[in-house]
């Protein structure tokens, strides 16, 4: 099953009144548990990687695993950067394979939130990647007790939300209507009237952060009023930790694999409970039909050099690899030299774009224009360049 376009996935959920879970993963146990739950209940799923967790794992390594698991899954999957803090982190996430981005500047004054979010949406749109912004402030720390949250809730208003979406161009909006990240004491009071008003004003898929601790009825009322994506982590973390505590009490001298035994299944059971409760269970087939596969483009150039030596050509390509791989939407830049001396073309570039939209934005990107005009085209008059859409797995 290919990774699928997240805009189509969330629009399907919004139109059909269910919510897709965006489950934050922090290890391979979480990844496997989340994917196996989605497969058991034939649910679309969002693998979510939160920037606030990057101290706990290597983002690049876990992204590679998430992408591989998504490609092998039998259900539609999307991969999301959660709580991205800057333009740089959004570019890094896209170039590592995220096909949806959250930019979170909700703790900043409105004008600064709008300015950063707009920068991210402009960059991401040129890569074909949808963006979630957040307006209003959802306090708390995922995985922690909610009373440790820094700051108070700031509620989203419908008027500000309309202006924010108009000025930033976000595809999905995370709203603050009473949830907090992390473990809450007592039942949160949700302002459903406020949510209804925001939904009527915007008519785009809405997102709830701080899913842990809400009642079944609260989830249903959120979904009835436009919530199509629910971010969820603390309850998964607590299920994993509870499993480990029980392993330790059964066997206090057990090694790592004994202490973590069963974590994957505990995470999976809680994920499955959410998928059934939020109505995404059973929607995998419909989402596959309603979405486009997320398939990359290979930008292939074969060329000969005329005025420089082979070793100078290799130096020029090494410089190009460093410059071009930092451009938004570029997955990799590979270069090669023909094995046979008499090959019709001696050298090649293989530049992988995340999406066909990058064909234009890459061509016009100032770093690409400078490299191509100053270092590449003057020495490589004899060349062929073709963009190939790659088949999805
Ligand atoms: P909880 O940890 O409260 O479930 O919230 C998760 C979240 O919102 C991640 O973005």
């Amino acid at each position: 099953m290919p990774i699928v376009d997240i805009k189509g996935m969330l629009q399907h959920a919004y139109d059909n009144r269910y919510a897709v879970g965006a489950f934050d993963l922090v290890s391979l146990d979480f990844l496997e548990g989340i994917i196996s739950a989605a497969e058991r209940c034939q649910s679309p799923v969002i693998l979510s990687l939160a920037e606030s967790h990057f101290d706990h794992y290597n983002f690049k390594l876990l992204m590679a695993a998430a992408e591989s698991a998504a490609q092998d899954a039998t259900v539609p999957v999307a991969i999301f950067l959660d709580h991205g803090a800057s333009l740089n982190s959004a570019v890094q996430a896209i170039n590592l394979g995220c096909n949806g981005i959250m930019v979170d500047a909700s703790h900043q004054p409105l004008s600064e939130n709008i300015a950063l979010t707009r920068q991210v949406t402009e960059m991401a749109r040129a890569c074909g990647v949808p963006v979630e912004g957040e307006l209003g402030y959802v306090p708390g720390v995922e995985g922690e007790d909610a009373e440790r949250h820094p700051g108070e809730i700031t509620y989203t208003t419908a008027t500000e939300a309309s202006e924010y979406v108009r000025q930033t161009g976000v595809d999905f909006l995370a709203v603050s209507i009473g949830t907090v990240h992390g473990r809450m004491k007592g039942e949160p009071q949700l302002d459903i009237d406020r949510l209804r008003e925001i939904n009527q004003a915007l008519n785009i898929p809405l997102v709830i952060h701080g899913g842990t601790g809400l009642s079944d009825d609260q989830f249903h009322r959120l979904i009835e009023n436009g919530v199509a994506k629910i971010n969820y982590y603390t309850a998964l973390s607590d299920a994993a930790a509870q499993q480990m505590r029980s392993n330790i009490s059964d066997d206090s001298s057990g090694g790592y694999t004994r202490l973590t035994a069963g974590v994957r299944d505990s995470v999976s059971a809680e994920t499955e409970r959410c998928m059934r409760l939020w109505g995404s269970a059973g929607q995998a087939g419909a989402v596959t039909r309603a979405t486009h596969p997320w398939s990359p483009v290979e930008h292939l150039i074969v060329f000969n050099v005329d005025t420089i030596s082979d070793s100078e050509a290799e130096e020029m390509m090494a410089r190009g690899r460093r410059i071009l791989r930092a451009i938004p939407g570029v997955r990799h830049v590979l270069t090669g030299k023909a094995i046979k001396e008499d090959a019709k073309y001696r050298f090649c570039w293989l530049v992988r774009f995340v999406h066909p939209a990058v064909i234009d934005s890459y061509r016009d990107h100032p770093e690409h224009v400078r490299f191509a005009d100053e270092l590449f085209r003057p020495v490589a008059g004899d060349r062929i360049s073709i963009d190939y859409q790659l088949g999805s797995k």
Side-chain angles (χ1 to χ4, degrees):
M1 177 80 48
I3 296 172
V4 303
D5 141 52
I6 192 156
K7 194 156 175 169
M9 181 193 269
L10 290 185
Q11 192 62 44
H12 187 267
Y14 185 73
D15 292 343
N16 293 280
R17 302 245 172 147
Y18 66 91
V20 182
F23 299 98
D24 282 326
L25 45 115
V26 289
S27 73
L28 290 183
D29 278 331
F30 277 63
L31 172 60
E32 290 177 59
I34 293 164
I35 290 281
S36 64
E39 290 185 331
R40 271 197 310 284
C41 40
Q42 283 299 293
S43 171
V45 65
I46 298 168
L47 300 175
S48 185
L49 289 93
E51 187 163 350
S52 50
H53 287 149
F54 289 179
D55 287 346
H56 302 294
Y57 58 79
N58 180 311
F59 179 41
K60 189 172 171 186
L61 291 183
L62 200 52
M63 267 305 298
E67 186 174 41
S68 170
Q71 283 163 343
D72 288 348
T74 59
V75 292
V77 182
I79 309 178
F80 222 86
L81 172 70
D82 191 19
H83 295 291
S86 66
L87 181 63
N88 278 349
S89 46
V91 173
Q92 185 197 20
I94 290 173
N95 288 8
L96 288 176
C98 284
N99 68 336
I101 294 291
M102 180 199 185
V103 49
D104 182 2
S106 60
H107 50 290
Q108 294 185 16
L110 182 61
S111 60
E112 286 166 44
N113 184 355
I114 290 176
L116 175 61
T117 306
R118 191 165 46 204
Q119 271 189 315
V120 171
T121 48
E122 279 168 7
M123 176 281 295
R125 180 141 306 137
C127 300
V129 173
V131 174
E132 169 189 335
E134 178 166 324
L135 182 67
Y137 181 60
V138 176
V141 180
E142 295 91 342
E144 306 279 350
D145 290 332
E147 61 265 32
R148 285 179 50 190
H149 63 71
E152 291 300 317
I153 297 179
T154 312
Y155 288 88
T156 312
T157 68
T159 320
E160 266 185 6
S162 300
E163 199 46 30
Y164 176 87
V165 171
R166 191 184 67 74
Q167 287 197 41
T168 60
V170 292
D171 301 277
F172 324 115
L173 183 70
V175 293
S176 176
I177 55 141
T179 58
V180 299
H181 294 107
R183 253 173 257 125
M184 189 125 190
K185 271 198 176 155
E187 195 174 279
Q189 300 300 311
L190 301 187
D191 189 343
I192 296 291
D193 290 341
R194 179 184 293 272
L195 178 66
R196 186 177 303 112
E197 212 188 313
I198 297 168
N199 186 35
Q200 280 163 0
L202 299 186
N203 208 19
I204 61 170
L206 301 178
V207 181
I208 280 292
H209 284 253
T212 296
L214 303 183
S215 68
D216 293 6
D217 181 54
Q218 285 179 317
F219 280 125
H220 289 140
R221 296 184 72 202
L222 292 173
I223 293 166
E224 274 164 23
N225 288 288
V227 170
K229 172 174 179 275
I230 297 175
N231 279 50
Y232 203 73
Y233 171 68
T234 303
L236 302 186
S237 158
D238 285 349
Q242 182 50 40
Q243 179 66 45
M244 290 168 73
R245 274 191 290 274
S246 140
N247 293 345
I248 291 172
S249 78
D250 289 350
D251 176 3
S252 61
S253 62
Y256 178 80
T257 51
R258 286 229 196 136
L259 296 190
T260 54
V263 163
R264 191 174 40 205
D265 292 343
S266 317
V267 168
S268 199
E270 177 58 12
T271 306
E272 178 174 349
R273 186 186 75 82
C274 294
M275 288 171 165
R276 297 200 186 281
L277 181 61
W278 302 341
S280 66
Q283 296 286 354
V287 169
T288 303
R289 289 188 292 280
T291 51
H292 301 293
W294 180 253
S295 36
V297 169
E298 199 75 27
H299 175 64
L300 167 73
I301 301 175
V302 289
F303 66 101
N304 289 315
V305 290
D306 29 41
T307 53
I308 58 173
S309 67
D310 279 13
S311 71
E312 285 169 326
E314 285 179 53
E315 222 165 90
M316 176 269 293
M317 291 192 292
R319 256 179 100 174
R321 287 199 300 272
R322 280 194 300 279
I323 295 168
L324 302 174
R325 71 160 71 105
I327 293 177
V330 172
R331 288 298 308 266
H332 66 220
V333 183
L334 305 174
T335 54
K337 186 173 170 189
I339 292 168
K340 289 197 174 160
E341 282 280 326
D342 61 350
K344 191 153 189 245
Y345 290 97
R346 297 265 295 133
F347 298 101
C348 74
W349 297 95
L350 293 169
V351 185
R352 171 87 47 100
F353 299 148
V354 300
H355 184 273
V358 184
I359 296 171
D360 291 341
S361 55
Y362 174 85
R363 187 196 52 230
D364 299 337
H365 193 282
E367 292 294 324
H368 170 254
V369 170
R370 190 170 325 123
F371 175 76
D373 285 352
E374 292 175 12
L375 295 173
F376 178 58
R377 289 181 187 134
V379 298
D382 179 18
R383 63 178 187 273
I384 296 177
S385 166
I386 304 176
D387 294 306
Y388 290 95
Q389 176 99 60
L390 300 182
S392 42
K393 224 176 171 186

